[in-house]
Amino acid sequence: MLQYYDPIKSSHIVRSHDPTKDYGTPAVITETGYAPKLLSLSIDGQAITLPEGTSLMRAAAEVDVNIPRLCATDSLKAFGSCRICLVQIKGRKGFVASCTTPIEEGMVVRTQSEDIAKLRRNIMELYISDHPLDCLTCAANGDCQLQDTAGEVGLRSVRYGYSGENHLEMEKDTSHAYFTFDPSKCIVCSRCVRACEEVQGTFALTIDGRGFESKVSASQDEDFSSSECVSCGACVQACPTATLIENSIIDNGIPEHSVLTTCAYCGVGCAFNAQVRGDQVIRMVPHKNGKANRGHSCIKGRFAFGYATHKERITTPMIRNNIEEPWRQVEWNEAVEFAALKIRQIQDKYGKDSVGGITSSRCTNEETYLVQKLIRAAFGNNNVDTCARVCHSPTGYGLKTTLGESAGTQTFDSIQKADVIIVMGANPTDAHPVFASRMKKRLREGAKLIVIDPRRIDLVKSPHVKSEHHLALMPGTNVALLNALSHVIVRDGLEDKNFIDSRCEKESFLQWKRIIGENKNSPEALEEAIGVPAKNIIAAAHLYAKARNGAIYYGLGVTEHSQGSTAVMAIANLAMLTGNLGREGVGVNPLRGQNNVQGACDMGSFPHELPGYRHVSIDEVREPFEKLWGVKIRPEPGLRIPNMFDSAIEGGFKGLYCQGEDIAQSDPNTQHVEEALRSLECLIVQDIFLNETAKFAHVFLPGASFLEKDGTFTNAERRISPVRRVMSPLSGKADWQATMALSNALGFDMNYRHPSEIMEEIAKLTPTFSGVSYERLDEEGSLQWPCDSEAPYGTPTMHIDEFVRGKGFFAVTEYVATDEKIGKRFPLLLTTGRTLSQYNVGAQTRRTENLQFHTEDVLELHPYDAENRGIVGGDMVQITSRSGQISLRAKLTDRVQPSVVYTTFHHPGTGANVITTDNSDWATNCPEYKVTAVEVRKIKSNSAWQSQYEAFTKRQEFFLQEAKT
Amino acid sequence: MTDRELAHLIKMANQITINLAYGDSLEQSAGRVSDHIVRFWATPMKNKIKSYAQDGGQELHVITKAAVLRLS
């Protein structure tokens, strides 16, 4: 862990660190194992001892002397431009800026005197002589540091008058959807520019011009919306005036209270203060002490929360007998009774195993736990699965097999100690942007980067970041490449022999080594298949193997393949081979997609595992659950999502309870999924919108957004963070209450009064959660599991002295080419991904202003492939695979290599998954989204599927209208 | 074959074999494949592939077939 200076332990002044306070400059961070040099000084007569490197401003703040400042804030390095923070040091001439002056032993500092006060007033007077005096009508009124500081320094008049040359008439930039830039209020403190550089790492802002002409400029003097700005909000956060301010504040005024909660977008799990007026969220502000995000945010978490109150929210339960008839709005009771009766009738007719459910990776741990409990106890089978099936189930399998636990090994903070970073099949700047900023910061400090991706992601080259190696492999050859990397390390004797001897199983290592050493796994033998020259593979292998700390981060580009599990194991092998596990700065780090997909997996959402990743076949695992729940649990695994679909089509599976998951849009081979959904006699959908899946449903239970309930989410670093209710559930029930109602209607009683009671039950039954409770979460802010009596503060880094499974297991990872091969009929390979402004199927983000950042999904193709087909940028093109056909607009770019095409799947009408196939990972059935052989040609109209989709959607929307009238 | 579910199960089972046969004995490879199916497949899936194997299981790889026939 990071070793922050702890004043309680090392100073004679006792105080606690206040997360709400701005200390002016950042705390000094000391490398683990090194004691900081401590210096003692006196500030306004108060003695204090602090680590070397601390600024005078921060030292003063530590003794509660808060020196006025404008350009300083503790999220940014000291800059020293505003000069308001001047102080005097005994024995020295003149005045120094306290933000840029480090403490020294024996210093005697005065922060207040008549001379200092006069100087500060003079400086403030200059600022105010060129500032609009519209405080009462200003959007930042009551939340303006300039206003506060003018008050603190006692400014009473401006001797210069206001008629001189000024910036008051400068035009506002209102081009951005979420914030306004008003240069007339700018004091040119550079906080926004520095935030964009230091915190976000985009470098979109600069100070243009000199002296009086100086002004903040986005990109090359462009408006914000057309600049390189990525809308993370760091500049808005940093601005001490109303120059950069949220439009929601301009429209509504300053919020009156704040609730600390956790973002419901990606697996980074940022902590946010939901700032609220009554029950209306005015803005989301990243929490400075959030351990996952350290005060940073992205466009989604920061701004895209408006979907929660979107007009398309459905807040009343609805039922119907078949999907070709209008919906009927009913009371909760009638809806759950209707659903329960149907489920029981199906089970009577087709057997106990003919029904199942899908838990939501967007809902809380408590809600997910309840859904799997309902399925195991009330349905009486193990037919429960979650969206991790289609994303990170290979991570679960691969890491459990090799290391013994189905989760990432590190904290996000760990990246600050990494020297070589491999990013494989992940695009953090788009999909995990807040973590990407941390990574970019480390890269700017000198860490080396290896990108393994068929497409040139932004990390390959962006301002002040350049990857050492970009191994642009052909989709489907991950395992070949990983094996080649291991082969080189073994061949060249770069393995960490001590680590392997002491930490890993000898027998499995020797078997693995024998196979990996075969010539067929050499880069020379594989370079043609992989599409990367052997010398580049060798260089990358050397770079990683020789690093002091090598860390691997990976995403769905690794898992969503026919050998997804093999690739995960190959990654774990690589880390064990080089001894890169069990400390900070290293590790195997899956970047999880959805906010609570880690939690959903932890909570027993897989058909073969009870909470805590324990197999259902083990008697000792089932027994405590059976005892507490009062039912027998089946010892055999249940159906996984793709198995449910197959069985539905063949007539064996008839009823599905699907919570917060849009399988009709997100799962591969849409026409197959739709056929399966149409085969169901009872589909219960619980969601906040009438999503694509709900169009095939018989029962609609209105869901609640993350703002409407209490609970917890678990992020990609195993961090359990609280979700707190900000507004009442629009439907009257939070999701856990809806599940309880359904369970009770099914005759299996659930009577929790609050989600904390559900967590108590989870902690009782799950050893890795035994130390987790709402009280402990309130005390610590968040906890990383395993959290038990041995680790009451949680476990930031896993596998420190030994692996969870004991000795590390080298799994054999033979490369098997996918069945999805390019040929004459389908000569291109399609791969898919996400874009920054959108989240997953887009159900939430498309219902916010984020839509304007990504109005449609487009097909990226290389100019070479385009020219061969007579396609120019902007043409409508038809993409055909053996599964189906869709049409999209073409975008020509050399981000993709020739013969590879790429698209996103955020818009349902695009139907990107109409063309993905039902090929899947051999071990887990995770679909092979990332490799589809396709052909592209120019056309004029929509595909047949898209026309059918439009007609079907229109009809279902009519059925919804019928329900409302 | 009209049963698409069965067709998929056959494909899945053979895929497991390709990934778990390390070139050792049929006995060892079939053991790993069988273990995997036991741990991850639902009962109806196991029953379906087993009855297919018992009926000849023509499209099953020899290791797959041996593995499936081991299922209890």
Side-chain angles (χ1 to χ4, degrees):
Chain A
M1 280 299 292
L2 293 172
Q3 300 298 303
Y4 286 100
Y5 167 71
D6 183 351
I8 297 169
K9 287 185 192 145
S10 29
S11 165
H12 37 263
I13 298 169
V14 177
R15 81 189 66 75
S16 57
H17 186 83
D18 179 359
T20 59
K21 180 169 168 166
D22 186 344
Y23 289 74
T25 62
V28 172
I29 298 169
T30 340
E31 289 271 321
T32 318
Y34 293 92
K37 186 178 174 191
L38 296 174
L39 305 172
S40 298
L41 70 159
S42 138
I43 295 175
D44 291 345
Q46 299 193 67
I48 183 163
T49 303
L50 286 164
E52 186 175 24
T54 307
S55 72
L56 288 179
M57 178 180 279
R58 190 173 179 99
E62 295 277 11
V63 289
D64 281 335
V65 170
N66 299 305
I67 301 171
R69 83 289 298 252
L70 289 171
C71 72
T73 181
D74 60 10
S75 60
L76 301 171
K77 281 186 233 157
F79 195 57
S81 82
C82 78
R83 317 309 289 177
I84 290 275
C85 71
L86 299 179
V87 296
Q88 286 173 297
I89 301 167
K90 191 177 174 187
R92 295 195 192 177
K93 279 186 183 171
F95 305 84
V96 296
S98 62
C99 62
T100 51
T101 307
I103 58 167
E104 286 175 32
E105 181 63 33
M107 263 184 174
V108 178
V109 181
R110 286 188 70 187
T111 72
Q112 198 58 262
S113 70
E114 266 188 40
D115 288 344
I116 292 172
K118 197 172 165 189
L119 265 174
R120 286 185 186 152
R121 268 197 299 274
N122 283 350
I123 295 164
M124 185 52 79
E125 199 175 354
L126 286 165
Y127 275 117
I128 300 304
S129 70
D130 187 9
H131 193 83
L133 296 179
D134 62 350
C135 286
L136 284 180
T137 53
C138 176
N141 187 13
D143 187 22
C144 173
Q145 214 173 326
L146 184 68
Q147 191 180 46
D148 294 347
T149 311
E152 284 162 23
V153 303
L155 182 69
R156 296 292 169 262
S157 62
V158 174
R159 291 163 295 166
Y160 310 106
Y162 303 97
S163 54
E165 198 178 349
N166 59 52
H167 298 86
L168 303 187
E169 299 305 318
M170 286 185 84
E171 222 176 288
K172 281 185 194 171
D173 173 358
T174 56
S175 63
H176 198 277
Y178 292 117
F179 59 83
T180 294
F181 173 56
D182 181 355
S184 74
K185 294 187 169 164
C186 181
I187 57 169
V188 203
C189 64
S190 293
R191 271 164 68 159
C192 54
V193 176
R194 290 181 285 142
C196 193
E197 292 176 7
E198 292 174 32
V199 180
Q200 167 55 30
T202 292
F203 295 78
L205 302 180
T206 188
I207 300 290
D208 196 24
R210 302 170 71 181
F212 187 79
E213 300 299 323
S214 304
K215 63 166 188 165
V216 173
S217 160
S219 291
Q220 303 288 313
D221 207 11
E222 289 169 52
D223 60 37
F224 268 81
S225 70
S226 22
S227 74
E228 292 146 310
C229 167
V230 293
S231 311
C232 69
C235 58
V236 177
Q237 189 68 8
C239 181
T241 70
T243 308
L244 280 159
I245 194 162
E246 297 92 344
N247 291 342
S248 62
I249 297 292
I250 298 175
D251 294 342
N252 298 290
I254 305 290
E256 44 83 16
H257 75 279
S258 179
V259 180
L260 180 58
T261 189
T262 303
C263 179
Y265 282 118
C266 77
V268 177
C270 297
F272 273 92
N273 286 303
Q275 297 195 348
V276 186
R277 162 107 40 84
D279 64 353
Q280 183 193 2
V281 179
I282 306 289
R283 67 176 162 190
M284 297 288 283
V285 177
H287 183 51
K288 205 167 94 180
N289 263 32
K291 289 173 187 154
N293 55 321
R294 302 284 177 201
H296 192 33
S297 60
C298 80
I299 179 172
K300 294 185 283 276
R302 181 73 157 84
F303 296 117
F305 54 85
Y307 70 87
T309 49
H310 192 272
K311 62 180 181 346
E312 285 170 12
R313 277 288 300 271
I314 297 180
T315 56
T316 313
M318 303 189 295
I319 56 172
R320 58 182 174 180
N321 277 308
N322 76 66
I323 67 165
E324 291 303 329
E325 68 181 38
W327 286 103
R328 194 156 61 83
Q329 288 188 340
V330 293
E331 294 293 324
W332 271 102
N333 270 352
E334 191 179 344
V336 293
E337 293 292 342
F338 179 88
L341 183 66
K342 283 218 166 210
I343 291 291
R344 288 303 184 220
Q345 282 171 345
I346 289 170
Q347 287 190 302
D348 287 346
K349 195 170 163 190
Y350 302 99
K352 216 174 196 179
D353 289 339
S354 58
V355 299
I358 298 176
T359 72
S360 175
S361 295
R362 297 174 197 165
C363 283
T364 63
N365 285 318
E366 293 76 2
E367 289 165 341
T368 304
Y369 172 85
L370 279 202
V371 172
Q372 64 88 32
K373 179 176 177 177
L374 176 146
I375 289 156
R376 294 200 154 101
F379 285 5
N381 62 42
N382 286 315
N383 292 336
V384 55
D385 210 350
T386 190
C387 88
R389 177 63 49 210
V390 300
C391 64
H392 267 293
S393 54
T395 291
Y397 176 87
L399 297 186
K400 181 105 185 166
T401 305
T402 49
L403 311 179
E405 193 57 274
S406 302
T409 61
Q410 310 297 119
T411 60
F412 288 139
D413 283 347
S414 160
I415 192 120
Q416 287 173 242
K417 294 190 177 154
D419 301 309
V420 171
I421 299 165
I422 294 182
V423 174
M424 181 168 188
N427 186 4
T429 54
D430 281 61
H432 301 88
V434 170
F435 174 66
S437 290
R438 303 283 297 280
M439 187 184 281
K440 287 198 283 187
K441 190 171 184 180
R442 183 62 186 161
L443 294 170
R444 291 198 301 276
E445 288 168 357
K448 302 274 189 265
L449 175 67
I450 299 166
V451 172
I452 304 176
D453 202 298
R455 186 167 164 268
R456 195 182 67 235
I457 57 171
D458 282 352
L459 278 177
V460 171
K461 193 174 186 310
S462 59
H464 300 272
V465 167
K466 190 173 180 303
S467 63
E468 213 67 19
H469 301 285
H470 174 207
L471 309 180
L473 76 180
M474 286 303 284
T477 62
N478 284 340
V479 172
L481 178 63
L482 290 162
N483 284 349
L485 290 170
S486 282
H487 178 94
V488 172
I489 293 170
V490 169
R491 185 171 71 185
D492 296 351
L494 299 171
E495 70 266 38
D496 185 338
K497 293 188 180 72
N498 283 341
F499 187 91
I500 298 164
D501 285 349
S502 60
R503 300 282 310 265
C504 304
E505 265 183 28
K506 195 173 180 185
E507 201 180 322
S508 73
F509 173 68
L510 292 177
Q511 183 185 32
W512 174 84
K513 191 180 173 185
R514 179 178 56 76
I515 295 174
I516 210 76
E518 290 172 11
N519 186 51
K520 66 176 182 187
N521 289 318
S522 70
E524 294 78 14
L526 288 166
E527 63 181 345
E528 199 181 324
I530 299 170
V532 176
K535 68 174 178 21
N536 296 3
I537 299 173
I538 294 167
H542 277 245
L543 182 62
Y544 174 72
K546 290 175 185 166
R548 189 182 58 157
N549 283 336
I552 306 177
Y553 293 85
Y554 71 90
L556 305 185
V558 164
T559 56
E560 289 175 343
H561 287 273
S562 62
Q563 280 200 299
S565 293
T566 315
V568 172
M569 294 190 290
I571 285 174
N573 290 344
L574 204 49
M576 288 191 288
L577 184 66
T578 51
N580 278 312
L581 279 162
R583 61 181 186 275
E584 290 207 285
V586 298
V588 173
N589 303 277
L591 294 169
R592 310 291 306 235
Q594 301 214 39
N595 55 319
N596 198 38
V597 68
Q598 180 71 52
C601 299
D602 303 343
M603 290 298 104
S605 294
F606 287 141
H608 65 284
E609 282 170 340
L610 282 157
Y613 303 100
R614 291 165 303 154
H615 205 276
V616 287
S617 64
I618 305 167
D619 294 345
E620 303 82 72
V621 169
R622 286 194 319 278
E623 270 161 17
F625 289 89
E626 291 176 336
K627 207 167 149 199
L628 198 73
W629 296 356
V631 291
K632 279 278 166 204
I633 296 170
R634 292 278 193 87
E636 295 259 335
L639 295 167
R640 299 171 288 199
I641 294 173
N643 312 144
M644 292 180 195
F645 294 155
D646 284 348
S647 180
I649 289 170
E650 292 307 321
F653 189 78
K654 290 288 183 184
L656 179 69
Y657 171 33
C658 180
Q659 180 197 49
E661 175 67 13
D662 197 358
I663 42 182
Q665 190 184 342
S666 64
D667 284 34
N669 195 356
T670 307
Q671 292 174 89
H672 179 76
V673 177
E674 288 180 356
E675 189 184 351
L677 295 178
R678 282 179 201 276
S679 309
L680 297 174
E681 290 182 13
C682 179
L683 172 58
I684 307 162
V685 166
Q686 185 170 326
D687 207 283
I688 59 177
F689 298 111
L690 191 83
N691 62 16
E692 300 309 308
T693 311
K695 292 171 186 169
F696 298 89
H698 307 89
V699 180
F700 186 92
L701 303 178
S705 76
F706 76 113
L707 295 168
E708 295 157 54
K709 56 199 181 189
D710 290 316
T712 55
F713 290 153
T714 307
N715 75 353
E717 30 160 33
R718 295 169 279 105
R719 185 181 301 286
I720 308 157
S721 301
V723 175
R724 295 192 177 94
R725 183 165 140 165
V726 173
M727 56 198 239
S728 307
L730 299 185
S731 71
K733 281 192 200 298
D735 293 277
W736 58 278
Q737 292 168 309
T739 302
M740 270 182 17
L742 180 61
S743 189
N744 292 336
L746 283 159
F748 182 77
D749 278 351
M750 289 189 188
N751 297 298
Y752 305 97
R753 288 164 301 178
H754 189 266
S756 61
E757 297 180 353
I758 306 173
M759 183 53 88
E760 276 171 34
E761 184 173 319
I762 295 167
K764 213 178 280 174
L765 293 169
T766 316
T768 45
F769 274 66
S770 60
V772 180
S773 68
Y774 278 36
E775 292 73 33
R776 290 289 296 131
L777 286 168
D778 283 344
E779 284 163 14
E780 300 297 327
S782 61
L783 287 165
Q784 284 173 279
W785 68 259
C787 177
D788 50 25
S789 55
E790 274 180 30
Y793 294 92
T795 310
T797 306
M798 291 198 78
H799 314 293
I800 290 182
D801 294 317
E802 68 168 355
F803 289 107
V804 172
R805 74 185 297 283
K807 297 274 185 186
F809 178 79
F810 276 84
V812 173
T813 56
E814 296 249 42
Y815 168 57
V816 180
T818 167
D819 290 345
E820 199 62 17
K821 292 186 175 68
I822 49 178
K824 255 190 186 161
R825 208 168 137 221
F826 301 120
L828 305 171
L829 283 182
L830 170 80
T831 185
T832 59
R834 273 191 201 180
T835 189
L836 171 66
S837 65
Q838 304 300 314
Y839 175 66
N840 202 265
V841 295
Q844 291 133 291
T845 45
R846 278 183 286 108
R847 289 179 174 96
T848 69
E849 297 297 331
N850 277 30
L851 183 60
Q852 59 180 265
F853 296 91
H854 180 79
T855 49
E856 61 178 334
D857 294 317
V858 296
L859 184 80
E860 289 188 4
L861 86 163
H862 193 274
Y864 173 82
D865 292 322
E867 195 180 335
N868 280 346
R869 290 165 177 77
I871 295 165
V872 296
D875 275 353
M876 283 304 283
V877 293
Q878 187 175 63
I879 308 128
T880 312
S881 74
R882 63 184 171 85
S883 289
Q885 203 171 61
I886 57 164
S887 49
L888 285 177
R889 208 169 290 286
K891 181 184 172 187
L892 309 195
T893 170
D894 64 359
R895 255 181 199 274
V896 288
Q897 48 188 309
S899 81
V900 175
V901 294
Y902 168 88
T903 189
T904 47
F905 57 96
H906 303 303
H907 290 268
T910 308
N913 281 322
V914 171
I915 44 179
T916 52
T917 68
D918 52 11
N919 275 355
S920 65
D921 172 45
W922 65 272
T924 66
N925 271 162
C926 177
E928 190 183 37
Y929 286 104
K930 301 294 183 183
V931 192
T932 311
V934 297
E935 176 56 304
V936 174
R937 69 185 181 89
K938 193 171 166 173
I939 46 128
K940 290 204 174 70
S941 61
N942 274 354
S943 73
W945 179 86
Q946 282 163 323
S947 305
Q948 268 170 30
Y949 168 82
E950 279 169 21
F952 180 65
T953 295
K954 211 174 256 178
R955 199 158 68 245
Q956 292 297 329
E957 277 165 2
F958 168 75
F959 292 157
L960 178 64
Q961 285 312 314
E962 287 284 287
K964 284 180 177 167
T965 50
Chain B
M1 191 178 300
T2 52
D3 188 336
R4 282 183 287 167
E5 186 184 14
L6 178 60
H8 200 187
L9 293 178
I10 294 166
K11 182 176 170 182
M12 283 156 53
N14 283 335
Q15 221 184 331
I16 294 169
T17 294
I18 297 169
N19 279 279
L20 289 182
Y22 304 158
D24 42 13
S25 71
L26 182 128
E27 190 69 6
Q28 284 170 309
S29 291
R32 280 192 294 270
V33 175
S34 176
D35 279 351
H36 186 90
I37 294 176
V38 167
R39 280 171 61 208
F40 296 103
W41 283 29
T43 314
M45 293 161 67
K46 286 177 202 157
N47 291 342
K48 199 160 189 166
I49 195 100
K50 211 167 100 184
S51 76
Y52 173 72
Q54 283 161 348
D55 289 346
Q58 280 185 343
E59 289 178 45
L60 295 177
H61 188 286
V62 55
I63 297 173
T64 319
K65 193 169 158 185
V68 169
L69 288 173
R70 279 169 171 230
L71 298 172
S72 54

